[in-house]
């Protein structure tokens, strides 16, 4: 097997390809969701699953750090390919996403979903309807809890609203990195009414430790990483950049802390638009972010508490 | 008024802005349709209406040629802006497109529709349901007469199929520039059964004069220009390039011949993806193509016969 | 009116278009100055007015923040288009800029000038010759107070020198963000002789609060934002990047503090070169910066003191 | 299986992945050779195998033409991945390429080699040392028969020289598309001394039919397509563009004629540098060229004679 | 001396650097004129002299063709660097250009001027005021004979008008490649009144031989190559592309015929904007065009007649 | 001499061109090493020497700071061009690099080497075999002390391993900026066994002052700057970006501190890939970094202690 990132067929972390519905088992499985017609500005997230797979080839586990500790050794990976999506038909697309996510969940310990725009998180979450007391930790510049935007209830502004309406087990969301000039007051009120934690970016910049303390502990957590939570200088490849975002280290600290102290049941990376970043670093860094998060998820047996 | 293409607010040909439903009259009116979620490969046509407006500022009429003849003098223009589109909801989008197209048609002699992907031609054509014996002349590498593709009947492969199903007055389509490895046999058969003229690119390259002779004469004609009819070296900014396409001169000859010998009731330019052509020539040439077609459409009173 | 940033004709904040010399009134009016032949390195700022208009469509007021406070509600906007500029003739260009700036100033409370290279600030400032005790707060990596550079007195290195020579009412300039290897000793001495505040970037990085304390209070202030004051990782789209510049938050803090404690009589954003930043974030962030500054300028009646 | 070109893991023509040395059979098998350190100007061909695989997803067989004829139905494909290459060590790289090419040859009827720069054709050809009376048809702007260039005998200027020295069975080369200001006189003389056909581009432009008549008939032919044989307007993505090259149709005519009248034993596409063509058409067209050549190679049983 | 185009300091054809006013002699000397503030659309030609120098390193003479003939052997080259230009001051810039052009002319047989926008040809031509019966052969999509445009008499639309006004010895201009929607009727009339040959692109496409017959013979000819004379697919890197332009071969045929049958006293290449063509072929092809023209200019002693 | 960065032939800091082996003397001399075939991911560093020369024209000494102090006045510069490299032959390339580096070292006080990938530092260091107790200060995200990677001992992962094996006088290396998921345990152990200082990026971010205290003092120091030591948002133009890297100020502080307290015997800047950063800031900032380092190297007589 080659070690050159540009060599070989690009599967996630050089994992074997599996069909979601086939017989297979893995600790970690990637599923691509190349769907980006629900965003309202600059498309391109449909190309992110493939870009993340290619970028993952610079970060193939296991990893031995400068400290000599080896991580993700013995952890098995699979690549379940992409959800087979229709053109244009959003309702059908959502069904297919939920179904594929369910199949992958049943076959691995930790599914990694490669979006797509943020609207895909709603049909993905539907595959978690059986998880008791599901928590979400969402890195995001935007709340994405809007009821209706531009005449649709299924845009990338609404995934968590739809999921919360439908899933009684989705008990709490922690949204970190909020900033921007404009919020939907109804959405903010609705999220607060449900008791969600809305943590603005200024809190992260001001005192990261206190933010870390507000994260859930001992829960079943789904991690949703909207790459626009990061500063546009860190991740330029996204539809809707907002200034003064997370550094890589801040984002990673939040993900690591969450992963160490909870059971991560799923992880998505969304809103990555590779063609908007000709330097290529957006996908390289986000592929590494996934790997580092996996390193903290207790997959190698020594779960942190 | 500035003559610098980069100066001033970019309306089509520096025309005044009008609301489709307001009181106004013009010989020519532009309407943008920034809709591109029905294509199956590389998005970006949503940015084409704005790009074509900017590019039109290098080609603002009237035009005096090297021969001293002035064209489009006294012809009035309006810019009706863009159709106000929802996010994601295709059925609603089609309704809005049809409605806006109808309003613009009622207020001008020749509407110019700035797409968008080719799926928009179907809802636009619905605004022509009252035109007796409507003909379409379509420049295209692809037939776009497919019944269903990727689980949808409304993709950019199907606009003319849907229009023909619904509009009895749409009596004939001449499709010019066909090429490519793969055709949908059912679509080809269906188009042929309706008597459509399917003219492959090899015919254009072989004997353009004979192709021109096959164009309709004395009809009400809607012109639909898919920019992928042109060779990718001429117009690189498109989702699905096919080699060995039209030169600008060939495309212009077909449009001019059609315009001179028929009544042009509408014109669209679709599938232009500006961000795929960093040289910027794709929109510059297509804006000029629109203007040259208008020059031949008999708008200045001396209709050709 | 559409809410999709890529939809519709791009005027500043979707404001109505007005001719500078016509009858109109607005709280805020934008005037583009697409002039970039006075810079000495990488051109492209001529495309900035249009890019900023497009980018402003992601930030159309009013804005309701996460705190529930709504800002810029009821504030009226107009877009006065671009100054009609000649090709090549710098003296005539400066006359036209001054004249248009004067017309816009007379018709609105706060003009926003969309440059252009920094040389345009001189002819713009001439439209403020009647303002008593005019102060300037300038965000800039460079001093721009040079007498002559490369055989010209009107380059983008000299706007404030020329303005100070000509305008007795221009009593003080605070320049923030200075850095770089090379300064013109004569210019530094001349600025210091006039009592200008020359605040290097290291001061901002060291203690922002003390920098904020050095800002004017209770004055008539013209804000001039050279985008190269920002770190190149924040705003890559500029001719002459200098490392270790302002974060967005630092720049915004200075502008907000100035706006809250003074009467802002004008605002320009200059040296933005959209084509040098293929990620598109430079114009998106600078359009938002303008909006946030307007939010702090007391336009909605509750002026801060 | 998805039909969206951006969906799914990109193998050549969506073929199953095989290891070169495993047990498998296919009519056609792709092998990538991501090696580009032997070229002397603009690198990037190392990224071509992956780009060609992605591009192939727009051209997955079988193909039904406008004429209703279906091609490549029932023909089986495999993707043997990329040769596992060392960094830097050219001799070892050549050994690995020869070995992998041999394994693939043994398992399929027609191997398709995805370069890489043109130097890879030498080690690939070594895998054909057993083919009686091997002919090569080479589309190329350059002769690539130089003995030594820039102190090396293994650059992309020398592959055919090395192959001819070593392989007695390589009896003839037809090189088509030659042009450019500069030729190595020694190389020209050596090629002519061996009886090679050196066909300049002017011959193709002048009378394609006569060029087609000069192609071999009834031979075992290896096809080597240097993408710089094409006009740079057709295929901009290459290290060393030369003006006035092949149109797609001309190149395809030569390949089709060769394939119809000979036994094609192998095909390579080399010198494609995807990052030099941001429009993406270079790989899209070259992937299609491969497919069209396969259509003519008699793989579906009805071999032409 | 390296043969790698990316190696070494880029002087034109690896020639020694000379100061225009120093003591030196050469057959051919290059002089860069990085001035582009007189064009009215997309700047960037200021970067062309450097880009052409770099590109020339792929085409360093002498050249041995496929026919075995060696050209430009023994011809000496010098690189006189760039004219030292002021910022912004057009009148001073023109003086400096004329002066430098004069110095270079005195020291070499054939100066090659690397523009710059087309306005530079006027001050360059002033350095030829002593040449008896000077003819110009101009490859151009546009006439560039306009009296005034956008309030200036010195834009890139006027160089030949200004030169003809001032230089009695400039007796004739042949302009080839004219096309486009719009011509300035006054300019056309003025050029015709002086007896200039205005040859539209359609004539070149129709019958190149007849165009070649209309070229001057036995004259002192200055060649001015506006790269927008070429088709935008051939040379995308230019401010104002016009469709249906020259192929490289057509342009080269005109230049070769002119060079063979006249005394070429100077050559310029203008309006090349490298940053508008990310494929890099625009400068590579234009550098080669210069070299091929030199090959035909009789510099190696065997002047054609 | 022009002051416009885009004007004139680009030598380093506008220095005169010298041949390495000729008779010349200078305080500072630049030598380009356009070699990038030893890296394992994205090539392009071969274009860095030329890009750094161009970028240096914005930072030509002497420099007068805002503090009025003038630096590098009277310091003489030379540009020794690029090492004349073979194609492909790594061993020969290394010989040529060592030889040229030696020649340049003998003729100047401080050579500046413009890479190239990091593998070039090994043959450069060989030119320092006579320096007593040579120290290296290396800014780098990676250790580059690996014995063998991908079947080669001479990749850009191994330069310091090879140098240490061969050069007894290379007594110590301080590597600063280390980060990343994966380290080669054998390399880490080997470096530690030799007593090298391995300073992770977290140390720099945590307490820069303590890092500065760990730098050598009073030694002969060779500075090796791998641009991937910087954060990818600061320097996007590099093959292998790693998040959370140095700010410009941090990197400069380390270089300045080292230069002030030691004798700098050489400086290289490697792994810069200009084509990966279309904003152009990577080379502009790295050229300035070189100049600022030179400012601190005591070249103007007042060595710091």
């Amino acid at each position: 097997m080659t070690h050159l990132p540009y060599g070989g067929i690009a599967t996630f972390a050089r994992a074997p390809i599996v069909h979601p519905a086939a017989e297979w088992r893995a600790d970690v499985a990637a599923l691509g969701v190349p769907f980006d017609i629900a965003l309202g500005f600059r498309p391109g997230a449909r190309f992110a699953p493939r870009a993340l797979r290619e970028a993952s080839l610079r970060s193939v586990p296991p990893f031995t750090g400068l400290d000599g500790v080896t991580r993700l050794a013995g952890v098995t990976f699979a690549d379940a390919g992409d959800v087979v999506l229709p053109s244009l038909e959003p309702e059908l697309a959502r069904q297919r996403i939920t179904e594929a996510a369910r199949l992958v969940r049943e076959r691995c310990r930790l599914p990694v979903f490669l979006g797509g725009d943020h609207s895909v998180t709603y049909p993905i979450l539907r595959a978690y309807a059986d998880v008791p007391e599901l928590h979400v930790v969402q890195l995001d510049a935007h709340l994405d809890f809007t009821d209706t935007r531009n005449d649709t209830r299924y845009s990338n502004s609404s995934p968590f609203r739809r999921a919360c309406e439908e899933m009684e087990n989705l008990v709490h969301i922690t949204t970190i990195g909020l900033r921007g000039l404009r919020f939907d007051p109804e959405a903010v009120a609705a999220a607060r009414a449900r008791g969600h934690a809305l943590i603005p970016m200024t809190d992260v910049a001001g005192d990261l430790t206190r933010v870390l303390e507000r994260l859930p502990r001992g829960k079943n957590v789904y991690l949703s990483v909207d790459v626009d939570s990061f500063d546009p200088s860190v991740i330029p490849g996204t539809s809707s950049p907002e200034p003064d975002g997370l550094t890589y280290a801040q984002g990673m600290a939040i993900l690591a802390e969450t992963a160490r102290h909870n059971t991560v049941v799923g992880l998505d990376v969304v809103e990555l638009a590779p063609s908007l970043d000709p330097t290529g670093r957006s996908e390289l860094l986000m592929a590494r972010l996934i790997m580092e998060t996996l390193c903290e998820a207790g997959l190698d047996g020594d779960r942190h508490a």
Side-chain angles (χ1 to χ4, degrees), chain A residues 33-51:
Chain A
V33 192
F35 180 89
D36 69 358
I37 66 174
L39 56 74
F41 190 22
R42 304 189 295 180
R46 68 183 65 181
F47 300 112
R50 201 168 282 162

Side-chain angles (χ1 to χ4, degrees), chain A residues 2-278:
Chain A
T2 182
H3 294 288
L4 297 170
Y6 57 86
I9 288 164
T11 65
F12 190 74
R14 300 226 183 265
I17 301 176
V18 296
H19 189 281
E23 286 288 316
W24 56 274
R25 286 283 147 187
D27 293 319
V28 177
L31 178 69
V33 192
F35 180 89
D36 69 358
I37 66 174
L39 56 74
F41 190 22
R42 304 189 295 180
R46 68 183 65 181
F47 300 112
R50 201 168 282 162
L52 285 166
R53 284 188 178 97
E54 294 196 26
S56 76
L57 305 186
R58 269 204 73 229
S59 302
V60 178
F63 308 112
T64 304
L66 191 55
D67 55 6
V69 177
T70 299
R71 299 191 292 178
L72 297 183
V75 173
T76 57
F77 283 72
D79 190 327
D82 288 346
V83 181
V84 177
L85 292 168
S87 286
L88 199 66
E89 301 295 334
E91 174 58 27
L92 179 57
R94 289 191 293 270
Q95 289 172 22
R96 298 251 184 95
I97 295 167
T98 301
E99 185 178 2
R102 221 173 254 143
L103 291 167
V104 169
R105 257 199 77 207
E106 292 167 6
R107 286 157 177 77
C108 73
R109 292 169 64 195
L110 205 170
V112 176
F113 303 101
L114 313 171
D117 64 43
H118 217 157
S119 76
V120 306
T121 301
Y122 160 53
I124 291 170
L125 281 173
R126 292 194 304 196
Y128 288 85
D130 61 315
V131 175
E133 289 196 39
L134 180 63
H135 282 241
V136 167
V137 171
Q138 170 197 3
L139 299 193
D140 210 330
H142 313 100
L143 191 54
D144 291 358
F145 206 72
T146 287
D147 190 38
T148 304
R149 189 199 69 189
N150 287 339
D151 304 297
T152 187
R153 304 177 71 237
Y154 297 100
S155 80
N156 66 341
S157 294
S158 303
F160 297 105
R161 185 66 168 267
R162 292 293 87 78
C164 285
E165 283 171 357
E166 211 170 292
M167 298 167 64
E168 287 191 11
N169 65 318
L170 202 175
V171 296
H172 191 266
I173 299 178
T174 307
T175 309
I176 307 172
L178 292 167
R179 58 199 194 275
L181 277 178
R182 187 200 329 267
F183 284 84
D184 173 357
E186 195 276 340
V188 171
R192 288 198 166 128
R194 289 190 90 251
H196 292 179
L198 276 55
I199 303 181
M201 186 57 216
T202 45
D203 283 17
V204 180
D207 188 345
L208 177 58
T209 307
R210 253 165 72 180
V211 169
L212 297 181
E213 289 166 3
R214 297 181 63 185
L215 293 169
R217 313 231 142 194
K219 307 293 183 187
N220 292 313
V221 174
Y222 180 91
L223 292 168
S224 186
V225 179
D226 186 323
V227 306
D228 68 20
S229 58
F230 289 93
D231 195 78
S233 68
V234 176
I235 306 295
T238 196
S239 176
S240 298
E242 300 286 352
D244 292 327
L246 295 167
T247 65
Y248 182 90
Q250 289 169 336
M252 197 56 238
I254 295 165
L255 294 172
E257 184 78 3
T258 309
R260 280 186 209 122
H261 297 290
N262 296 279
T263 302
V264 180
V265 297
L267 163 65
D268 68 45
V269 172
V270 297
E271 299 286 344
L272 175 66
S275 62
L276 292 174
D277 177 10

